[in-house]
Amino acid sequence: GVVSRKNHPGAGNLDIPLPGVECRTGGANGNYTVVFQFANSLASVSGATVLDGTAAVSSTTVQGNEYVVNLTGVTNGQDVSVALIDIADTLGNKSSVFATTLSVLLGDTSNDRSVNSGDITQTKSHSGQVLSGSNFRTDVNVDGSINSADISLIKGQSGNGIP
């Protein structure tokens, strides 16, 4: 599997399965983390690259059976294709390329490739709740709380979409 991972204060790392829409902010530098998860521990990966979209690989790390790709310069409202090159696991399984798509649309809490009143309503209904695995998408500013700041951010993105 592949996920987009963000660390939410007080709740830890929370993942959005890919392909899917990453609705949370990447901050001022457009930073996102894509985590490739394999069944077996990795022996080697030649590298990671952006195949399509506006982004750059800033760093990579291997953590057991996960290959973590940190991206920077990711802009809102786009699909970014990220690929691993020459992958081998500790059991001898190999693949020349493994790619995924990270769709980025700030405020799209409903994962439908558009920001609209449904996203605002969903976030309002979660406002004030303790952050959990079932409502974390509505913490779009990734501050560990679901509140009016998230609602305002989504309202500011209303009408945006990914073609």
Side-chain angles (χ1 to χ4, degrees):
V2 184
V3 299
S4 176
R5 179 169 290 163
K6 293 275 184 190
N7 186 289
H8 292 254
N13 289 332
L14 296 168
D15 299 340
I16 293 176
L18 298 180
V21 178
E22 173 55 85
C23 58
R24 302 167 292 180
T25 183
N29 296 321
N31 296 331
Y32 290 89
T33 300
V34 176
V35 181
F36 293 81
Q37 301 167 323
F38 295 90
N40 304 310
S41 293
L42 294 168
S44 65
V45 177
S46 292
T49 187
V50 174
L51 299 174
D52 191 34
T54 303
V57 175
S58 61
S59 66
T60 61
T61 57
V62 175
Q63 297 173 349
N65 67 329
E66 293 186 337
Y67 194 83
V68 179
V69 179
N70 293 304
L71 301 172
T72 192
V74 179
T75 57
N76 189 37
Q78 68 163 332
D79 293 320
V80 178
S81 296
V82 181
L84 301 184
I85 310 298
D86 296 326
I87 308 114
D89 69 18
T90 55
L91 297 179
N93 300 304
K94 295 181 180 183
S95 179
S96 58
V97 177
F98 183 72
T100 194
T101 300
L102 167 69
S103 299
V104 179
L105 184 57
L106 182 59
D108 180 18
T109 62
S110 62
N111 196 33
D112 66 359
R113 300 178 67 85
S114 66
V115 183
N116 54 42
S117 61
D119 302 297
I120 296 165
T121 300
Q122 179 182 34
T123 304
K124 282 182 177 180
S125 72
H126 293 160
S127 186
Q129 293 180 1
V130 174
L131 196 63
S132 70
S134 64
N135 67 9
F136 73 91
R137 288 183 64 93
T138 56
D139 179 22
V140 294
N141 65 359
V142 194
D143 69 354
S145 300
I146 304 167
N147 55 33
S148 61
D150 300 297
I151 296 165
S152 293
L153 191 63
I154 295 168
K155 283 181 177 179
Q157 295 296 317
S158 188
N160 288 338
I162 302 173

